[in-house]
Amino acid sequence: MSFRASILTLYPEMFPGPLGVSLAGRALERGDVALETVQIRDFGVGRHRMVDDTPSGGGAGMVMRADVLAAAIDHAAPAGDTRPRLLMSPRGRPLDQRRVRELAVGEGAVIVCGRFEGVDERVIAGRGLEEVSIGDYILSGGEIAALVLLDAVVRLLPGVMGNALSGEAESFEAGLLEHPHYTRPAEWEGQTIPAVLTSGDHGAVERWRRAEAERITAARRPDLLKR
Ligand code: SAH
């Protein structure tokens, strides 16, 4: 069973983009992941294939039309398609590793990439779109946000990461930021590696890593400890 993502965008040439290389690129080649893009403009209105219009009530910018987006969504996800429908949006629930994990065990996702000022509010309820944000800043479009989400999901799919264990200790997986890493050389610019890491005492290494993870989380992200 592969993970199938349908991406609705005005810029399909942005995909697979960075997902075409390295781990994700190989998953695409193997067919463990399928990325399909849908050009929203193909569902535009009139001879000029209009996809946006001026905001009701006035003001700057343009708004993506509900009817055009709905037609594109209905094409990408006909009745019976149970994949979650996501709208990349700065108003959405901030993406976290828990949601990434949920998506990775599912069959895929339909992902709408906004442009301009955003999308007509009516299509969000009308097509049951779940708004997802990748952080408290404004991008020029949803495409890069979709790439971020897909990168996080794809690396969790079975067989994608070379060493399955290396995913488990990662930042956020245990509600903590990760401990520091070291590798050879033993001394670099006068800095050495903490002795416990080269002691061969696996229990002591585990205790040190846990303590460091807690110390760093308390210093940088006390909000994570409270959760
Ligand atoms: N006027 C909107 C911003 C529109 S940015 C506002 O103030 O909220 C244009 C598009 O980029 C959005 O529709 C969304 O799809 C995408 N986008 C921008 N910032 C994003 C973020 N932080 N997370 C996810 N998508 C984002």
Side-chain angles (χ1 to χ4, degrees):
M1 199 196 73
S2 72
F3 183 93
R4 195 164 66 89
S6 301
I7 302 142
L8 281 62
T9 171
L10 289 170
Y11 299 99
E13 63 273 25
M14 288 179 76
F15 298 88
L19 298 180
V21 303
S22 189
L23 295 178
R26 285 197 290 279
L28 277 170
E29 268 170 34
R30 281 194 307 267
D32 291 345
V33 184
L35 293 189
E36 146 197 311
T37 54
V38 174
Q39 169 55 274
I40 295 168
R41 195 164 297 284
D42 290 348
F43 302 87
V45 178
R47 198 161 55 86
H48 296 292
R49 299 252 165 254
M50 264 201 11
V51 297
D52 57 337
D53 211 328
T54 54
S56 305
M62 299 294 272
V63 176
M64 293 177 89
R65 289 173 57 128
D67 53 351
V68 171
L69 278 175
I73 292 167
D74 294 345
H75 168 84
D81 189 323
T82 55
R83 290 176 295 167
R85 297 163 172 197
L86 313 179
L87 169 65
M88 306 318 297
S89 159
R91 300 190 321 186
R93 188 154 76 87
L95 184 65
D96 59 13
Q97 193 64 14
R98 174 198 301 253
R99 187 72 187 110
V100 167
R101 244 184 281 124
E102 285 169 1
L103 289 168
V105 297
E107 0 166 32
V110 177
I111 305 177
V112 179
C113 301
R115 280 275 159 176
F116 321 117
E117 290 310 313
V119 310
D120 186 307
E121 186 72 20
R122 293 170 293 181
V123 75
I124 299 174
R127 288 298 178 274
L129 303 182
E130 168 191 343
E131 294 181 70
V132 179
S133 167
I134 65 157
D136 291 344
Y137 40 79
I138 305 293
L139 303 167
S140 50
E143 287 78 9
I144 291 175
L147 288 167
V148 167
L149 179 144
L150 287 168
D151 183 85
V153 168
V154 166
R155 61 187 287 287
L156 294 184
L157 299 177
V160 172
M161 290 234 310
N163 176 3
L165 266 185
S166 76
E168 281 173 19
E170 230 127 28
S171 289
F172 306 120
E173 289 292 359
L176 293 173
L177 300 179
E178 202 180 42
H179 56 76
H181 296 291
Y182 297 88
T183 188
R184 280 184 280 270
E187 186 181 335
W188 175 74
E189 293 192 348
Q191 298 189 68
T192 55
I193 295 173
V196 60
L197 296 180
T198 50
S199 68
D201 181 342
H202 298 298
V205 168
E206 274 322 301
R207 285 191 296 280
W208 180 86
R209 286 183 170 163
R210 174 79 195 186
E212 282 294 289
E214 286 172 5
R215 178 183 67 77
I216 289 169
T217 309
R220 300 183 187 178
R221 293 291 305 278
D223 58 302
L224 291 178
L225 290 178
K226 274 184 227 122
R227 274 183 221 166

Short mmCIF file of all heavy atoms in Angstrom, two decimals, residues 69-126:
data_model
loop_
_atom_site.label_atom_id
_atom_site.label_comp_id
_atom_site.label_asym_id
_atom_site.label_seq_id
_atom_site.Cartn_x
_atom_site.Cartn_y
_atom_site.Cartn_z
N LEU A 69 -12.21 26.00 -6.84
CA LEU A 69 -11.50 25.06 -5.97
C LEU A 69 -12.31 23.79 -5.74
O LEU A 69 -11.76 22.68 -5.74
CB LEU A 69 -11.20 25.73 -4.61
CG LEU A 69 -9.96 26.64 -4.61
CD1 LEU A 69 -9.84 27.33 -3.26
CD2 LEU A 69 -8.69 25.83 -4.92
N ALA A 70 -13.62 23.94 -5.56
CA ALA A 70 -14.47 22.77 -5.33
C ALA A 70 -14.42 21.83 -6.53
O ALA A 70 -14.34 20.60 -6.37
CB ALA A 70 -15.89 23.20 -5.03
N ALA A 71 -14.43 22.39 -7.74
CA ALA A 71 -14.37 21.55 -8.93
C ALA A 71 -13.04 20.79 -8.98
O ALA A 71 -13.00 19.60 -9.33
CB ALA A 71 -14.54 22.40 -10.19
N ALA A 72 -11.95 21.46 -8.62
CA ALA A 72 -10.64 20.81 -8.61
C ALA A 72 -10.58 19.72 -7.54
O ALA A 72 -10.05 18.63 -7.77
CB ALA A 72 -9.53 21.85 -8.38
N ILE A 73 -11.16 20.00 -6.37
CA ILE A 73 -11.17 19.02 -5.28
C ILE A 73 -12.02 17.81 -5.68
O ILE A 73 -11.62 16.66 -5.48
CB ILE A 73 -11.71 19.66 -3.97
CG1 ILE A 73 -10.73 20.71 -3.45
CG2 ILE A 73 -11.97 18.59 -2.90
CD1 ILE A 73 -11.30 21.61 -2.36
N ASP A 74 -13.17 18.06 -6.27
CA ASP A 74 -14.06 16.95 -6.65
C ASP A 74 -13.42 16.08 -7.73
O ASP A 74 -13.66 14.87 -7.79
CB ASP A 74 -15.41 17.49 -7.14
CG ASP A 74 -16.17 18.17 -6.01
OD1 ASP A 74 -15.80 17.97 -4.84
OD2 ASP A 74 -17.14 18.92 -6.31
N HIS A 75 -12.59 16.69 -8.55
CA HIS A 75 -11.86 15.92 -9.56
C HIS A 75 -10.78 15.07 -8.90
O HIS A 75 -10.63 13.88 -9.21
CB HIS A 75 -11.23 16.88 -10.58
CG HIS A 75 -10.24 16.23 -11.48
ND1 HIS A 75 -10.60 15.55 -12.63
CD2 HIS A 75 -8.88 16.12 -11.39
CE1 HIS A 75 -9.51 15.06 -13.21
NE2 HIS A 75 -8.46 15.39 -12.48
N ALA A 76 -10.04 15.67 -7.97
CA ALA A 76 -8.92 14.96 -7.32
C ALA A 76 -9.42 13.90 -6.36
O ALA A 76 -8.79 12.86 -6.19
CB ALA A 76 -8.03 15.96 -6.59
N ALA A 77 -10.55 14.18 -5.71
CA ALA A 77 -11.07 13.27 -4.68
C ALA A 77 -12.56 13.05 -4.89
O ALA A 77 -13.39 13.64 -4.21
CB ALA A 77 -10.80 13.86 -3.29
N PRO A 78 -12.90 12.18 -5.84
CA PRO A 78 -14.32 11.93 -6.10
C PRO A 78 -14.96 11.24 -4.88
O PRO A 78 -14.26 10.77 -3.99
CB PRO A 78 -14.31 10.98 -7.30
CG PRO A 78 -12.90 10.73 -7.66
CD PRO A 78 -12.01 11.36 -6.65
N ALA A 79 -16.31 11.19 -4.88
CA ALA A 79 -17.04 10.56 -3.78
C ALA A 79 -16.43 9.19 -3.48
O ALA A 79 -16.09 8.44 -4.38
CB ALA A 79 -18.50 10.41 -4.17
N GLY A 80 -16.27 8.90 -2.18
CA GLY A 80 -15.68 7.62 -1.81
C GLY A 80 -14.21 7.71 -1.48
O GLY A 80 -13.65 6.80 -0.88
N ASP A 81 -13.57 8.81 -1.90
CA ASP A 81 -12.16 9.02 -1.54
C ASP A 81 -12.13 9.51 -0.10
O ASP A 81 -12.65 10.58 0.21
CB ASP A 81 -11.54 10.07 -2.47
CG ASP A 81 -10.02 10.18 -2.30
OD1 ASP A 81 -9.54 10.07 -1.16
OD2 ASP A 81 -9.34 10.38 -3.32
N THR A 82 -11.54 8.71 0.80
CA THR A 82 -11.62 9.02 2.23
C THR A 82 -10.35 9.69 2.75
O THR A 82 -10.19 9.88 3.95
CB THR A 82 -11.88 7.75 3.05
OG1 THR A 82 -10.84 6.80 2.72
CG2 THR A 82 -13.23 7.15 2.71
N ARG A 83 -9.45 10.04 1.84
CA ARG A 83 -8.22 10.70 2.31
C ARG A 83 -8.55 12.04 2.96
O ARG A 83 -9.47 12.74 2.53
CB ARG A 83 -7.27 10.94 1.13
CG ARG A 83 -6.65 9.68 0.56
CD ARG A 83 -5.81 10.00 -0.66
NE ARG A 83 -6.62 10.52 -1.76
CZ ARG A 83 -6.11 11.11 -2.83
NH1 ARG A 83 -4.81 11.27 -2.94
NH2 ARG A 83 -6.90 11.53 -3.80
N PRO A 84 -7.79 12.43 4.03
CA PRO A 84 -8.00 13.74 4.62
C PRO A 84 -7.76 14.85 3.59
O PRO A 84 -6.87 14.72 2.74
CB PRO A 84 -6.98 13.82 5.76
CG PRO A 84 -6.13 12.62 5.68
CD PRO A 84 -6.73 11.67 4.69
N ARG A 85 -8.56 15.91 3.68
CA ARG A 85 -8.42 17.04 2.76
C ARG A 85 -7.84 18.20 3.53
O ARG A 85 -8.48 18.74 4.44
CB ARG A 85 -9.78 17.42 2.23
CG ARG A 85 -10.39 16.31 1.42
CD ARG A 85 -11.85 16.54 1.27
NE ARG A 85 -12.39 15.56 0.32
CZ ARG A 85 -13.56 15.70 -0.28
NH1 ARG A 85 -14.30 16.75 -0.05
NH2 ARG A 85 -13.98 14.77 -1.11
N LEU A 86 -6.63 18.58 3.18
CA LEU A 86 -5.91 19.61 3.92
C LEU A 86 -5.85 20.90 3.11
O LEU A 86 -5.72 20.87 1.89
CB LEU A 86 -4.48 19.14 4.23
CG LEU A 86 -4.32 17.72 4.79
CD1 LEU A 86 -2.85 17.40 5.00
CD2 LEU A 86 -5.11 17.55 6.08
N LEU A 87 -5.97 22.02 3.82
CA LEU A 87 -5.73 23.32 3.20
C LEU A 87 -4.57 23.96 3.94
O LEU A 87 -4.64 24.19 5.14
CB LEU A 87 -6.97 24.22 3.33
CG LEU A 87 -6.78 25.70 2.97
CD1 LEU A 87 -6.45 25.86 1.47
CD2 LEU A 87 -8.01 26.52 3.34
N MET A 88 -3.46 24.18 3.23
CA MET A 88 -2.33 24.85 3.86
C MET A 88 -2.75 26.28 4.14
O MET A 88 -3.24 26.98 3.24
CB MET A 88 -1.09 24.80 2.95
CG MET A 88 -0.68 23.41 2.48
SD MET A 88 -0.75 22.09 3.72
CE MET A 88 0.46 22.66 4.91
N SER A 89 -2.61 26.71 5.42
CA SER A 89 -3.17 28.00 5.81
C SER A 89 -2.54 28.49 7.11
O SER A 89 -2.44 27.73 8.07
CB SER A 89 -4.68 27.83 6.02
OG SER A 89 -5.19 28.85 6.84
N PRO A 90 -2.11 29.76 7.14
CA PRO A 90 -1.51 30.27 8.39
C PRO A 90 -2.52 30.29 9.54
O PRO A 90 -2.11 30.40 10.69
CB PRO A 90 -1.04 31.68 8.02
CG PRO A 90 -1.67 32.02 6.72
CD PRO A 90 -2.11 30.75 6.06
N ARG A 91 -3.81 30.15 9.25
CA ARG A 91 -4.81 30.12 10.33
C ARG A 91 -5.01 28.72 10.88
O ARG A 91 -5.81 28.52 11.79
CB ARG A 91 -6.17 30.60 9.81
CG ARG A 91 -6.21 32.00 9.27
CD ARG A 91 -7.64 32.41 9.02
NE ARG A 91 -8.43 31.29 8.47
CZ ARG A 91 -9.67 31.38 8.05
NH1 ARG A 91 -10.30 32.55 8.11
NH2 ARG A 91 -10.32 30.33 7.58
N GLY A 92 -4.36 27.73 10.26
CA GLY A 92 -4.62 26.34 10.64
C GLY A 92 -3.98 25.94 11.96
O GLY A 92 -3.24 26.71 12.57
N ARG A 93 -4.28 24.70 12.38
CA ARG A 93 -3.61 24.17 13.56
C ARG A 93 -2.14 23.94 13.19
O ARG A 93 -1.85 23.37 12.15
CB ARG A 93 -4.26 22.83 13.97
CG ARG A 93 -3.75 22.31 15.29
CD ARG A 93 -4.78 21.42 15.95
NE ARG A 93 -4.85 20.09 15.35
CZ ARG A 93 -4.08 19.08 15.71
NH1 ARG A 93 -3.19 19.22 16.67
NH2 ARG A 93 -4.19 17.91 15.11
N PRO A 94 -1.23 24.40 14.05
CA PRO A 94 0.18 24.23 13.72
C PRO A 94 0.53 22.74 13.56
O PRO A 94 0.16 21.93 14.39
CB PRO A 94 0.91 24.83 14.93
CG PRO A 94 -0.10 25.75 15.57
CD PRO A 94 -1.44 25.13 15.31
N LEU A 95 1.21 22.43 12.47
CA LEU A 95 1.61 21.04 12.20
C LEU A 95 2.56 20.57 13.29
O LEU A 95 3.48 21.28 13.66
CB LEU A 95 2.30 20.98 10.84
CG LEU A 95 2.71 19.58 10.36
CD1 LEU A 95 1.47 18.71 10.11
CD2 LEU A 95 3.53 19.68 9.09
N ASP A 96 2.32 19.37 13.80
CA ASP A 96 3.27 18.79 14.76
C ASP A 96 3.51 17.32 14.41
O ASP A 96 2.86 16.75 13.54
CB ASP A 96 2.79 18.97 16.20
CG ASP A 96 1.44 18.32 16.45
OD1 ASP A 96 0.99 17.52 15.61
OD2 ASP A 96 0.83 18.62 17.49
N GLN A 97 4.47 16.73 15.13
CA GLN A 97 4.90 15.37 14.79
C GLN A 97 3.77 14.36 14.99
O GLN A 97 3.69 13.37 14.29
CB GLN A 97 6.14 15.00 15.62
CG GLN A 97 6.88 13.75 15.15
CD GLN A 97 7.49 13.86 13.76
OE1 GLN A 97 7.61 14.96 13.20
NE2 GLN A 97 7.87 12.74 13.18
N ARG A 98 2.86 14.65 15.92
CA ARG A 98 1.73 13.75 16.15
C ARG A 98 0.82 13.68 14.90
O ARG A 98 0.45 12.60 14.45
CB ARG A 98 0.91 14.24 17.35
CG ARG A 98 -0.37 13.45 17.59
CD ARG A 98 -1.33 14.24 18.49
NE ARG A 98 -0.71 14.54 19.77
CZ ARG A 98 -1.03 13.94 20.93
NH1 ARG A 98 -1.98 13.05 20.95
NH2 ARG A 98 -0.41 14.26 22.04
N ARG A 99 0.50 14.84 14.33
CA ARG A 99 -0.34 14.86 13.13
C ARG A 99 0.41 14.24 11.95
O ARG A 99 -0.20 13.56 11.11
CB ARG A 99 -0.76 16.31 12.80
CG ARG A 99 -1.77 16.43 11.66
CD ARG A 99 -3.14 15.94 12.07
NE ARG A 99 -4.10 15.89 10.97
CZ ARG A 99 -4.56 14.74 10.44
NH1 ARG A 99 -4.15 13.58 10.91
NH2 ARG A 99 -5.44 14.78 9.46
N VAL A 100 1.71 14.50 11.88
CA VAL A 100 2.53 13.91 10.81
C VAL A 100 2.45 12.38 10.89
O VAL A 100 2.25 11.69 9.89
CB VAL A 100 3.99 14.38 10.93
CG1 VAL A 100 4.92 13.56 10.04
CG2 VAL A 100 4.10 15.87 10.57
N ARG A 101 2.57 11.85 12.10
CA ARG A 101 2.51 10.39 12.30
C ARG A 101 1.15 9.84 11.90
O ARG A 101 1.06 8.78 11.26
CB ARG A 101 2.82 10.04 13.76
CG ARG A 101 4.10 9.23 13.92
CD ARG A 101 4.31 8.83 15.36
NE ARG A 101 4.85 9.90 16.17
CZ ARG A 101 4.31 10.38 17.28
NH1 ARG A 101 3.17 9.88 17.73
NH2 ARG A 101 4.89 11.35 17.94
N GLU A 102 0.07 10.55 12.28
CA GLU A 102 -1.28 10.10 11.90
C GLU A 102 -1.42 10.04 10.39
O GLU A 102 -1.95 9.09 9.84
CB GLU A 102 -2.34 11.06 12.45
CG GLU A 102 -2.58 10.96 13.93
CD GLU A 102 -3.46 12.13 14.44
OE1 GLU A 102 -3.86 13.00 13.63
OE2 GLU A 102 -3.70 12.17 15.66
N LEU A 103 -0.93 11.10 9.71
CA LEU A 103 -1.05 11.12 8.25
C LEU A 103 -0.25 9.98 7.64
O LEU A 103 -0.69 9.36 6.66
CB LEU A 103 -0.57 12.47 7.71
CG LEU A 103 -1.49 13.66 8.00
CD1 LEU A 103 -0.78 14.98 7.69
CD2 LEU A 103 -2.79 13.57 7.21
N ALA A 104 0.92 9.68 8.21
CA ALA A 104 1.81 8.67 7.63
C ALA A 104 1.22 7.27 7.70
O ALA A 104 1.57 6.42 6.88
CB ALA A 104 3.18 8.71 8.31
N VAL A 105 0.32 7.00 8.64
CA VAL A 105 -0.29 5.66 8.68
C VAL A 105 -1.57 5.61 7.85
O VAL A 105 -2.19 4.55 7.75
CB VAL A 105 -0.57 5.18 10.14
CG1 VAL A 105 0.74 5.06 10.91
CG2 VAL A 105 -1.54 6.11 10.85
N GLY A 106 -1.95 6.74 7.24
CA GLY A 106 -3.16 6.77 6.42
C GLY A 106 -2.85 6.47 4.96
O GLY A 106 -1.73 6.12 4.60
N GLU A 107 -3.89 6.60 4.11
CA GLU A 107 -3.71 6.24 2.69
C GLU A 107 -3.15 7.38 1.86
O GLU A 107 -2.80 7.18 0.70
CB GLU A 107 -5.02 5.78 2.06
CG GLU A 107 -6.21 5.76 2.97
CD GLU A 107 -7.53 5.63 2.23
OE1 GLU A 107 -7.58 4.97 1.18
OE2 GLU A 107 -8.52 6.20 2.73
N GLY A 108 -3.10 8.60 2.45
CA GLY A 108 -2.58 9.73 1.69
C GLY A 108 -3.26 11.01 2.12
O GLY A 108 -3.79 11.10 3.23
N ALA A 109 -3.28 11.99 1.24
CA ALA A 109 -3.92 13.27 1.55
C ALA A 109 -4.21 14.02 0.27
O ALA A 109 -3.53 13.83 -0.74
CB ALA A 109 -3.01 14.12 2.44
N VAL A 110 -5.25 14.84 0.33
CA VAL A 110 -5.52 15.80 -0.72
C VAL A 110 -5.10 17.14 -0.13
O VAL A 110 -5.55 17.50 0.96
CB VAL A 110 -7.02 15.81 -1.09
CG1 VAL A 110 -7.30 16.88 -2.15
CG2 VAL A 110 -7.45 14.43 -1.57
N ILE A 111 -4.21 17.86 -0.82
CA ILE A 111 -3.63 19.07 -0.23
C ILE A 111 -3.90 20.27 -1.14
O ILE A 111 -3.48 20.28 -2.30
CB ILE A 111 -2.12 18.90 -0.03
CG1 ILE A 111 -1.83 17.64 0.80
CG2 ILE A 111 -1.52 20.14 0.62
CD1 ILE A 111 -0.34 17.36 0.99
N VAL A 112 -4.62 21.24 -0.61
CA VAL A 112 -4.91 22.46 -1.39
C VAL A 112 -3.89 23.53 -1.02
O VAL A 112 -3.70 23.85 0.17
CB VAL A 112 -6.34 22.97 -1.09
CG1 VAL A 112 -6.63 24.24 -1.89
CG2 VAL A 112 -7.38 21.88 -1.40
N CYS A 113 -3.22 24.07 -2.04
CA CYS A 113 -2.23 25.13 -1.83
C CYS A 113 -2.87 26.47 -2.17
O CYS A 113 -3.24 26.70 -3.33
CB CYS A 113 -1.02 24.90 -2.72
SG CYS A 113 -0.21 23.32 -2.45
N GLY A 114 -3.00 27.33 -1.17
CA GLY A 114 -3.57 28.64 -1.41
C GLY A 114 -2.56 29.58 -2.08
O GLY A 114 -1.35 29.33 -2.07
N ARG A 115 -3.08 30.63 -2.67
CA ARG A 115 -2.28 31.73 -3.23
C ARG A 115 -3.05 33.02 -2.97
O ARG A 115 -4.17 32.98 -2.49
CB ARG A 115 -2.05 31.55 -4.73
CG ARG A 115 -0.94 30.56 -5.06
CD ARG A 115 0.43 31.24 -5.05
NE ARG A 115 1.52 30.29 -4.87
CZ ARG A 115 2.81 30.65 -4.90
NH1 ARG A 115 3.15 31.90 -5.10
NH2 ARG A 115 3.74 29.75 -4.70
N PHE A 116 -2.49 34.14 -3.30
CA PHE A 116 -3.13 35.46 -3.13
C PHE A 116 -3.47 35.68 -1.65
O PHE A 116 -2.68 35.30 -0.79
CB PHE A 116 -4.37 35.58 -4.03
CG PHE A 116 -4.20 34.98 -5.40
CD1 PHE A 116 -4.98 33.92 -5.83
CD2 PHE A 116 -3.21 35.47 -6.25
CE1 PHE A 116 -4.80 33.37 -7.10
CE2 PHE A 116 -3.03 34.93 -7.52
CZ PHE A 116 -3.82 33.88 -7.93
N GLU A 117 -4.65 36.24 -1.37
CA GLU A 117 -5.02 36.48 0.04
C GLU A 117 -5.53 35.23 0.72
O GLU A 117 -5.71 35.20 1.94
CB GLU A 117 -6.09 37.58 0.14
CG GLU A 117 -5.60 38.98 -0.18
CD GLU A 117 -4.32 39.34 0.56
OE1 GLU A 117 -4.25 39.10 1.78
OE2 GLU A 117 -3.39 39.87 -0.08
N GLY A 118 -5.78 34.18 -0.05
CA GLY A 118 -6.32 32.96 0.52
C GLY A 118 -7.52 32.50 -0.28
O GLY A 118 -7.70 32.91 -1.44
N VAL A 119 -8.35 31.66 0.35
CA VAL A 119 -9.47 31.04 -0.39
C VAL A 119 -10.79 31.51 0.17
O VAL A 119 -10.90 31.89 1.34
CB VAL A 119 -9.38 29.49 -0.34
CG1 VAL A 119 -7.98 29.01 -0.72
CG2 VAL A 119 -9.77 28.95 1.02
N ASP A 120 -11.82 31.49 -0.65
CA ASP A 120 -13.19 31.81 -0.22
C ASP A 120 -13.57 30.88 0.93
O ASP A 120 -13.45 29.66 0.83
CB ASP A 120 -14.14 31.60 -1.42
CG ASP A 120 -15.57 32.06 -1.13
OD1 ASP A 120 -16.14 31.62 -0.11
OD2 ASP A 120 -16.11 32.85 -1.92
N GLU A 121 -14.02 31.48 2.01
CA GLU A 121 -14.31 30.72 3.24
C GLU A 121 -15.29 29.57 3.00
O GLU A 121 -15.21 28.53 3.65
CB GLU A 121 -14.90 31.69 4.29
CG GLU A 121 -15.12 31.10 5.66
CD GLU A 121 -13.83 30.84 6.43
OE1 GLU A 121 -12.79 31.46 6.09
OE2 GLU A 121 -13.85 30.03 7.37
N ARG A 122 -16.22 29.74 2.05
CA ARG A 122 -17.28 28.75 1.88
C ARG A 122 -16.78 27.39 1.42
O ARG A 122 -17.40 26.36 1.73
CB ARG A 122 -18.33 29.28 0.89
CG ARG A 122 -19.09 30.48 1.44
CD ARG A 122 -19.93 31.14 0.38
NE ARG A 122 -19.10 31.77 -0.67
CZ ARG A 122 -19.59 32.43 -1.71
NH1 ARG A 122 -20.90 32.55 -1.85
NH2 ARG A 122 -18.78 32.96 -2.60
N VAL A 123 -15.62 27.36 0.72
CA VAL A 123 -15.15 26.06 0.22
C VAL A 123 -14.53 25.25 1.37
O VAL A 123 -14.46 24.02 1.31
CB VAL A 123 -14.15 26.23 -0.95
CG1 VAL A 123 -12.79 26.69 -0.47
CG2 VAL A 123 -14.03 24.92 -1.73
N ILE A 124 -14.12 25.94 2.43
CA ILE A 124 -13.49 25.24 3.57
C ILE A 124 -14.53 24.34 4.23
O ILE A 124 -14.29 23.14 4.44
CB ILE A 124 -12.88 26.25 4.57
CG1 ILE A 124 -11.79 27.08 3.86
CG2 ILE A 124 -12.32 25.54 5.79
CD1 ILE A 124 -11.22 28.21 4.71
N ALA A 125 -15.69 24.90 4.54
CA ALA A 125 -16.77 24.09 5.12
C ALA A 125 -17.37 23.17 4.07
O ALA A 125 -17.63 21.99 4.32
CB ALA A 125 -17.84 25.00 5.71
N GLY A 126 -17.57 23.71 2.87
CA GLY A 126 -18.26 22.97 1.81
C GLY A 126 -17.55 21.69 1.41
O GLY A 126 -18.19 20.73 0.96
#
